[in-house]
Amino acid sequence: MILTPQKTIETHQQSGIWGRVTLDALFRKTATAHPDRLALCDPQDRADAMQGTPRRLTYAQADEEISRLAAFFSAVGLSPDNVVGLQSPNTVEAVIAFLAALRAGLVVAPLPLHWRQKNVLAALSRAGAKALVAGEGFGGRNIGHEARDTAAEMFSLRFVFGLGTEVADGLIELSEVLKEVSDDMPPPPGRKDANAADHVATLTWTHSTSGEPLPIARSHNQWIAAGLMPYLELSLPQAPVTVVPYALTGMAGIGAGLMP
């Protein structure tokens, strides 16, 4: 699904700002070049703010999980351009799910952590989401339980996946899926056209004057351009350790955090 006008795409390609590499492919390129470099790590005090044991993954380890989870998403019937909601605090598992969905050609709709069931239901309904990925408990809330209740009210939501190790009953536990997915599972078909990076990658959210959630579509190229700005302006050294305190729900968390 490409929503950017062709003239805009051609202008940015000619200037060199936009290319043909998707976000997940950009991650894979780094994994190929530096497989043993640390890619993702949870804070050591993760259990104090949320559930789960802290994880540390190299680029090679993370890329393998991304590919296996992407293959699973495709195998269960999620098709390119299907929308997948994601509501989770910043964890290694959340980043893996985010990039795996993109590798399967899906559109990720990250949902703000403070949104309750009513807000989540309205946003997912508006986006026509087919699946929802829910993180573990955060701030005294059980996001998984809320996701299960959302699915009960939204019949078009085909799958509800849970992240972490203490997943609510009724959710598909993705950590167990990764253990069981065989290495020979066919990879997702991916995008065959030359403009893969111009397809919509995410739907982030704003509100109408009446308070209804409104989606903002951004392509892979738009996010990569957003990530290049802080990366270049800060003159970051090679392989810096970066703390991302913002949830992966908008320009701060994705554009200035995950993308660099």
Side-chain angles (χ1 to χ4, degrees):
M1 178 168 53
I2 298 177
L3 300 182
T4 307
Q6 185 61 34
K7 184 176 180 180
T8 301
I9 293 173
E10 292 172 355
T11 299
H12 290 327
Q13 286 180 340
Q14 290 170 4
S15 70
I17 297 174
W18 285 12
R20 301 191 183 280
V21 181
T22 59
L23 304 185
D24 57 287
L26 190 63
F27 192 94
R28 170 167 280 175
K29 288 179 67 174
T30 306
T32 300
H34 306 284
D36 298 325
R37 180 182 292 171
L38 180 65
L40 303 168
C41 62
D42 288 317
Q44 289 301 306
D45 60 350
R46 167 176 169 167
D48 294 339
M50 62 196 91
Q51 299 167 339
T53 302
R55 301 187 70 202
R56 296 170 62 90
L57 295 180
T58 65
Y59 272 94
Q61 291 170 331
D63 194 67
E64 180 186 4
E65 288 197 10
I66 291 166
S67 290
R68 294 170 69 193
L69 189 54
F72 171 76
F73 285 152
S74 178
V76 298
L78 291 171
S79 304
D81 293 330
N82 282 171
V83 176
V84 177
L86 172 64
Q87 189 176 38
S88 173
N90 280 8
T91 62
V92 167
E93 293 96 344
V95 177
I96 296 296
F98 186 100
L99 293 174
L102 296 182
R103 187 163 290 176
L106 309 177
V107 176
V108 181
L111 304 164
L113 280 173
H114 68 273
W115 277 12
R116 300 290 178 160
Q117 182 183 345
K118 177 182 177 181
N119 308 107
V120 171
L121 184 60
L124 294 182
S125 298
R126 191 178 188 95
K130 300 298 183 184
L132 173 59
V133 180
E136 295 184 292
F138 180 78
R141 292 170 54 204
N142 192 311
I143 299 174
H145 286 165
E146 295 177 13
R148 183 182 60 194
D149 294 342
T150 298
E153 294 192 36
M154 185 175 171
F155 297 113
S156 60
L157 204 63
R158 296 170 56 192
F159 303 101
V160 184
F161 305 108
L163 300 176
T165 55
E166 298 183 26
V167 174
D169 291 341
L171 274 62
I172 301 171
E173 190 172 339
L174 290 183
S175 62
E176 291 301 314
V177 166
L178 285 172
K179 294 177 184 177
E180 297 176 5
V181 170
S182 62
D183 294 334
D184 58 355
M185 178 176 283
R191 300 200 181 276
K192 304 301 183 183
D193 60 279
N195 294 84
D198 295 318
H199 283 267
V200 174
T202 66
L203 298 177
T204 54
W205 302 93
T206 186
H207 284 92
S208 68
T209 54
S210 60
E212 296 177 331
L214 295 176
I216 302 173
R218 290 189 176 94
S219 70
H220 293 260
N221 267 325
Q222 287 171 319
W223 278 121
I224 291 174
L228 277 172
M229 287 189 287
Y231 182 84
L232 295 175
E233 288 297 322
L234 292 172
S235 299
L236 293 174
Q238 190 177 45
V241 176
T242 305
V243 177
V244 183
Y246 301 102
L248 306 178
T249 55
M251 192 57 68
I254 303 173
L258 176 62
M259 291 321 306

